[in-house]
Amino acid sequence: MALENSVFASRPESLSLPVEEKGEGEEVEVATEASAEVFNLSEELGHVVTTETPLYPPVLARVHRSFQAKLAEREAKANEPRKKTQGAEKERGRFGWGRTKRKRQRYVEKNGRCNVSHGNMRETYRYLTDIFTTLVDLNWRCSLFVFVMAYAVTWLFFGAIWYLIAYCRGDLDHLEDESWTPCVNNVNGFISAFLFSIETETTIGYGHRVITDQCPVGTMLLLLQAILGSMVNAFMVGCMFVKISQPNKRAETLVFSKHAVISLRDDKLCLMFRVGDLRSSHIVGANMRAKLIKSKQTQEGEFIPLDQTDISVGFETGDDRLFLVSPLVISHEIDTNSPFWDMSQSQLGKEDFEIVVILEGMVEATGMTCQARSSYLAEEVQWGHRFSPMMSLAEGFFDVDYGAFHHTFEVNTPSCSAQEISLATARLDAHLYWSISSRLDEEPTLTNEAAKQPDSGSASSRGGEPTFIVGEMTDIQEQSGLGELNGSVATDQSESEA
């Protein structure tokens, strides 16, 4: 208020508002008189604003807090620490603006579809060199369209030729002449010629339209259409049969776990995922492979995008060949040859990679090779988890509960990398080795002290009582070979001589 009084020291009385001040914290009633223009003084900026208000009766504005109370409350709010927003933290951009972390683009989708688009291909004629595979690879809409058009075009083509023969021979001009012998009986237009073409190619043969022996051109055309029709039938039916019997749908019943886990197995860090077959017909010769997809830069500065690195899942030991009768947990031991050798739990969340798993085998019912694929991103690898058991022994069989197929639970797992665990184990083994060797070096001194005891007790041995020496071999035992190195018992040599 002192600032306001200093700025507007010469403020006219006409601008002052009748304010009835009361004690701090009490209500203050401000009466505003009706006028054409009212000057409002801003408390924060200290400038004058003119507003036009209609003529109304005087209004009483109740202010419950003074200006000093509002200022104190505003300062308190400014000094309060900002509450952290719940949810995923956003990265900060160049100017401090919130920015959502970019999700990595998958190389292989979870359903096995490869997320790669081929563009700018100029040598498209190569697709026509392998027309059979091209037709099989088409989607079902295009395949059905090609299937229908292949038959329709051949029927229309040969139907037009049959109509042209009848038109050139004049058969259409002698329809009512019974003495005229046409090339094909009962062909009186294009529709009838088209129907005859269908009957010829499909070998239906209703018997109403028949070729005569007076038309050698028609005979040659009949043979040509029969041969070409058989080729079209073999080609199109073969394409549809191969497309229907493709083992791609068989891969739909081969399932992979939603997450991969990293935990200890036999005191070694292992990357594990689960695979199962939902059908009772098995996959013969099932083989498992895994690839690490990660971009890298060589020492020469060459950037290799989406570099593929093999992940061993038991190729050396034969564990990659599966007997997939029940769900199995595939394990990759993280050793010195593993790409995860120096990766810890904290580094796992910062890495940008993708693990592609491939299951190959032969379908037992059809004998065709089947391949099922899936992938795991870095955020889909759970550190310190293990898969829940899903098999139980029932009466006469083993019961598999697929409800727990994707379920995992936490286990005690070190957060350091496999390399750090190996170094710690090596240090511990070295400490134990040197401690044991130092103890072995102290044993000869103990045996020398024990050897001096028979000399001090020789007098008592003459009294007829034998003397026992523990932990030392006598001359008699060395000759007989019956004593032991440690813990042997022998009598005194003097007693044996007596």
Side-chain angles (χ1 to χ4, degrees):
M1 297 302 290
L3 178 61
E4 183 178 351
N5 295 332
S6 63
V7 175
F8 300 97
S10 61
R11 182 176 55 183
E13 296 181 358
S14 59
L15 295 180
S16 61
L17 298 178
V19 179
E20 182 180 359
E21 296 184 357
K22 292 184 179 182
E24 186 176 357
E26 298 179 357
E27 296 184 357
V28 180
E29 296 182 358
V30 181
T32 61
E33 297 181 355
S35 60
E37 292 187 6
V38 178
F39 294 86
N40 296 331
L41 298 179
S42 176
E43 296 175 350
E44 297 180 0
L45 302 179
H47 60 274
V48 181
V49 181
T50 60
T51 58
E52 294 184 1
T53 56
L55 296 175
Y56 288 106
V59 181
L60 294 178
R62 297 183 177 274
V63 180
H64 298 274
R65 290 175 300 178
S66 63
F67 173 71
Q68 290 81 2
K70 292 182 180 180
L71 184 60
E73 182 181 359
R74 186 173 301 173
E75 292 178 355
K77 289 182 179 180
N79 295 330
E80 288 182 358
R82 295 182 179 179
K83 296 181 179 179
K84 295 183 179 181
T85 57
Q86 297 180 355
E89 294 184 357
K90 295 183 179 181
E91 296 181 353
R92 294 295 176 182
R94 183 176 180 182
F95 299 101
W97 298 334
R99 183 177 61 186
T100 306
K101 185 179 180 181
R102 182 180 61 86
K103 187 178 181 181
R104 189 186 191 279
Q105 182 66 44
R106 285 185 179 272
Y107 189 66
V108 177
E109 299 290 342
K110 296 293 287 185
N111 57 2
R113 184 180 64 87
C114 296
N115 196 12
V116 178
S117 178
H118 301 279
N120 196 17
M121 294 180 297
R122 300 179 180 180
E123 299 179 355
T124 55
Y125 66 90
R126 296 181 180 273
Y127 287 97
L128 299 178
T129 57
D130 189 9
I131 187 64
F132 185 82
T133 306
T134 303
L135 293 177
V136 171
D137 290 340
L138 293 176
N139 54 27
W140 275 104
R141 292 182 180 180
C142 296
S143 297
L144 292 177
F145 177 77
V146 172
F147 184 83
V148 172
M149 291 302 297
Y151 284 102
V153 168
T154 54
W155 294 341
L156 288 172
F157 175 74
F158 284 102
I161 296 178
W162 286 114
Y163 175 77
L164 184 61
I165 292 175
Y167 178 78
C168 294
R169 291 186 76 255
D171 296 341
L172 300 179
D173 298 333
H174 301 80
L175 296 177
E176 302 298 334
D177 190 0
E178 296 180 357
S179 62
W180 180 263
T181 304
C183 183
V184 180
N185 292 329
N186 300 318
V187 173
N188 51 11
F190 180 77
I191 300 300
S192 59
F194 177 70
L195 294 176
F196 178 73
S197 175
I198 295 176
E199 294 174 9
T200 303
E201 188 169 342
T202 57
T203 64
I204 295 176
Y206 290 111
H208 183 65
R209 300 176 183 86
V210 183
I211 189 173
T212 61
D213 55 358
Q214 301 297 325
C215 183
V217 179
T219 304
M220 298 297 296
L221 182 61
L222 180 65
L223 294 176
L224 181 61
Q225 186 177 4
I227 295 173
L228 291 179
S230 300
M231 294 176 63
V232 171
N233 288 332
F235 188 81
M236 298 310 301
V237 172
C239 287
M240 296 301 294
F241 175 76
V242 172
K243 191 171 183 62
I244 293 173
S245 60
Q246 273 185 329
N248 296 339
K249 298 302 179 182
R250 179 63 178 90
E252 298 293 335
T253 55
L254 297 174
V255 292
F256 295 88
S257 58
K258 294 181 180 179
H259 297 86
V261 298
I262 294 179
S263 60
L264 289 175
R265 175 177 278 191
D266 295 333
D267 295 334
K268 296 180 180 179
L269 275 180
C270 296
L271 171 69
M272 294 171 285
F273 59 92
R274 181 179 276 171
V275 61
D277 188 5
L278 301 180
R279 287 188 177 274
S280 57
S281 60
H282 310 307
I283 297 294
V284 180
N287 186 20
M288 177 62 66
R289 293 186 293 123
K291 292 281 187 179
L292 176 66
I293 309 298
K294 183 181 179 181
S295 301
K296 73 173 186 178
Q297 188 172 6
T298 62
Q299 297 179 358
E300 295 77 14
E302 180 187 2
F303 179 74
I304 303 177
L306 302 178
D307 182 62
Q308 299 184 9
T309 305
D310 284 331
I311 299 177
S312 177
V313 289
F315 177 77
E316 296 82 4
T317 59
D319 294 337
D320 60 333
R321 295 184 288 273
L322 309 179
F323 181 53
L324 198 59
V325 178
S326 61
L328 300 176
V329 176
I330 310 301
S331 175
H332 161 66
E333 182 180 341
I334 303 178
D335 52 8
T336 56
N337 298 323
S338 174
F340 309 105
W341 172 245
D342 56 350
M343 186 179 298
S344 62
Q345 183 178 4
S346 59
Q347 294 175 350
L348 179 63
K350 302 176 183 178
E351 292 291 333
D352 187 10
F353 63 85
E354 182 177 355
I355 302 173
V356 178
V357 291
I358 305 170
L359 175 63
E360 293 178 341
M362 187 173 60
V363 182
E364 186 179 21
T366 61
M368 303 182 69
T369 303
C370 172
Q371 185 182 89
R373 299 179 294 267
S374 186
S375 65
Y376 302 98
L377 297 179
E379 56 266 20
E380 295 175 348
V381 179
Q382 297 179 345
W383 190 287
H385 283 247
R386 187 181 297 168
F387 286 105
S388 301
M390 52 182 302
M391 181 177 291
S392 60
L393 179 61
E395 185 177 356
F397 60 92
F398 292 94
D399 186 21
V400 179
D401 181 18
Y402 275 94
F405 184 82
H406 303 285
H407 186 263
T408 61
F409 61 95
E410 295 185 3
V411 292
N412 294 328
T413 305
S415 59
C416 56
S417 63
Q419 183 180 12
E420 296 174 352
I421 295 177
S422 178
L423 292 176
T425 305
R427 293 193 189 99
L428 181 60
D429 293 342
H431 176 71
L432 294 176
Y433 173 78
W434 290 109
S435 62
I436 293 174
S437 61
S438 61
R439 292 180 181 179
L440 293 176
D441 295 338
E442 294 176 358
E443 287 186 359
T445 59
L446 297 177
T447 55
N448 293 331
E449 294 178 358
K452 297 178 180 179
Q453 296 179 0
D455 297 337
S456 61
S458 58
S460 61
S461 61
R462 293 176 183 179
E465 296 179 359
T467 303
F468 297 93
I469 302 175
V470 180
E472 187 177 2
M473 184 180 292
T474 61
D475 296 337
I476 300 175
Q477 287 176 335
E478 291 179 357
Q479 295 176 1
S480 62
L482 299 177
E484 295 181 358
L485 182 61
N486 294 324
S488 61
V489 181
T491 57
D492 192 5
Q493 187 174 0
S494 61
E495 183 180 357
S496 63
E497 293 177 355

